[in-house]
Amino acid sequence: MRRVLVSLCAVVAAVTTGCAGGGDGGDGRARQDPRPRPPALTWQQELRVADAQQRLTGQCMNRHGFTYREDRGLTLRESRPVRYVQDDVAWARTYGYGGRIEAKGLRVHERNPNGTYRRSLSPSRRAAFDTALDGGAGARMLTASLPGGGQTRKRVGGCTEEAERALYGDPAEWYRTGKIATGLNALYGEELRKDRHLTAAVRAWSRCMKEAGRPFADPRAAREAVRTDTARLGAARADEAFAAERRTAVADATCARETSLRAVATARETYYLDRLRDRFGEDVDTYRHLGRRAYDRAVRIVPERG
């Protein structure tokens, strides 16, 4: 469903959601890291930073003589990311796995007023719009190396760069460290998927789901089954499909709570991240420091979504 992380290497998104503190070794014993870690942003804070970036971008585009609309099509509660472990029973009871939120988001994207506005411009004004927004074809390229190998690039310039600079200070450093911090799972994903502590917790979750009349091997299998059933029932039976989605999601979240799946997943991902601290700790800490700086600035620019 919407933004579901489909591999165990992104179970709790520890790098970006602040799973701090020492992990434990393979035998379960705690291991302390003497270096303090700056806290990562919560998803609510990340959303507020993104909204602030839109606000700053819009103000900049207005100064260049263009219209730019902010996208706030989803409420704060609707914007909650659905991760591999979803243990919020109340949220699941209301939104299921977020299937209808995903559909709503797609509709908002398709009706993006900025795209409509851009298409309404003359070719010369459209080119000017692009240049004002991100520097256009002549914008400089940022390059970042990925932990698992290879590089990624991003064009930066115009109002987009101005907004990022106002929030993060150095867009290039934010981009570089961000690609490292969010790409570390490429280095431990296979080990995490096979981790005996995590696989035991997933088996416990599966037994709980079987007892609830929903025999699935893991949370991904449950969500894929819901997606398949929703597509099979079609628009004519959308309400029936959504009711079934919510029932499965509630069972999923309930079993995740009863088996402490999130706690186990968090501890195991932290353990594997700890082993990479010597190589990447400084970059991860820089990324988090820049994110915290951006959030501190964002709270003075936009309110939190309702």
Side-chain angles (χ1 to χ4, degrees):
M1 308 311 290
R2 184 179 62 96
R3 287 174 294 168
V4 170
L5 302 186
V6 296
S7 65
L8 286 177
C9 66
V11 178
V12 288
V15 172
T16 57
T17 58
C19 297
D24 56 71
D27 59 0
R29 290 177 297 180
R31 179 167 65 83
Q32 297 298 321
D33 186 338
R35 294 169 295 183
R37 302 183 192 181
L41 300 183
T42 65
W43 67 265
Q44 296 96 327
Q45 292 170 330
E46 289 179 340
L47 182 64
R48 194 163 182 180
V49 172
D51 286 344
Q53 184 168 336
Q54 286 195 80
R55 177 68 54 83
L56 293 172
T57 301
Q59 291 172 348
C60 176
M61 291 297 285
N62 293 162
R63 292 198 306 271
H64 282 81
F66 295 104
T67 297
Y68 189 89
R69 303 269 184 97
E70 298 174 31
D71 175 12
R72 288 197 171 210
L74 300 179
T75 67
L76 179 65
R77 198 154 184 250
E78 289 173 333
S79 299
R80 174 179 179 160
V82 180
R83 307 195 189 283
Y84 182 85
V85 181
Q86 207 303 84
D87 60 358
D88 187 329
V89 178
W91 197 92
R93 189 172 290 117
T94 301
Y95 299 108
Y97 287 123
R100 288 192 166 178
I101 298 174
E102 180 180 23
K104 179 181 176 181
L106 288 174
R107 291 194 298 271
V108 170
H109 179 73
E110 290 169 356
R111 300 168 186 170
N112 187 317
N114 293 318
T116 301
Y117 171 73
R118 179 184 178 277
R119 288 190 295 272
S120 72
L121 300 174
S122 66
S124 61
R125 287 289 288 167
R126 194 177 306 147
F129 178 95
D130 294 342
T131 299
L133 181 60
D134 62 10
R140 69 188 178 106
M141 299 295 295
L142 300 180
T143 302
S145 297
L146 302 174
Q151 291 186 326
T152 182
R153 305 174 71 197
K154 170 188 172 182
R155 185 171 66 186
V156 64
C159 292
T160 300
E161 180 176 8
E162 179 179 310
E164 289 187 0
R165 192 171 297 282
L167 291 168
Y168 302 109
D170 184 354
E173 186 71 349
W174 167 250
Y175 181 67
R176 184 189 69 80
T177 58
K179 290 303 178 182
I180 291 173
T182 59
L184 290 177
N185 56 23
L187 302 181
Y188 62 78
E190 188 62 26
E191 288 183 276
L192 178 58
R193 281 190 289 272
K194 297 177 180 178
D195 182 273
R196 62 186 178 88
H197 301 285
L198 183 57
T199 55
V202 172
R203 286 195 299 271
W205 174 93
S206 182
R207 289 193 296 271
C208 176
M209 288 291 281
K210 185 176 182 179
E211 292 172 2
R214 290 170 171 78
F216 297 110
D218 55 44
R220 178 175 62 180
R223 296 173 199 192
E224 287 301 319
V226 165
R227 184 183 290 274
T228 298
D229 287 345
T230 298
R232 176 178 57 81
L233 292 173
R237 301 171 66 184
D239 289 343
E240 178 184 346
F242 185 55
E245 175 186 335
R246 285 184 294 166
R247 287 193 295 270
T248 299
V250 167
D252 182 345
T254 300
C255 286
R257 280 183 173 272
E258 291 181 358
T259 60
S260 300
L261 181 56
R262 178 179 294 278
V264 173
T266 298
R268 299 318 297 160
E269 181 140 21
T270 300
Y271 164 67
Y272 289 104
L273 286 167
D274 279 346
R275 301 194 310 178
L276 300 173
R277 287 286 296 172
D278 289 343
R279 293 170 59 191
F280 301 106
E282 184 175 349
D283 289 320
V284 171
D285 289 349
T286 297
Y287 174 69
R288 291 182 175 185
H289 277 305
L290 293 175
R292 180 61 55 182
R293 175 193 296 173
Y295 177 72
D296 290 342
R297 293 172 176 175
V299 297
R300 299 192 293 269
I301 298 171
V302 293
E304 187 173 66
R305 291 196 193 190

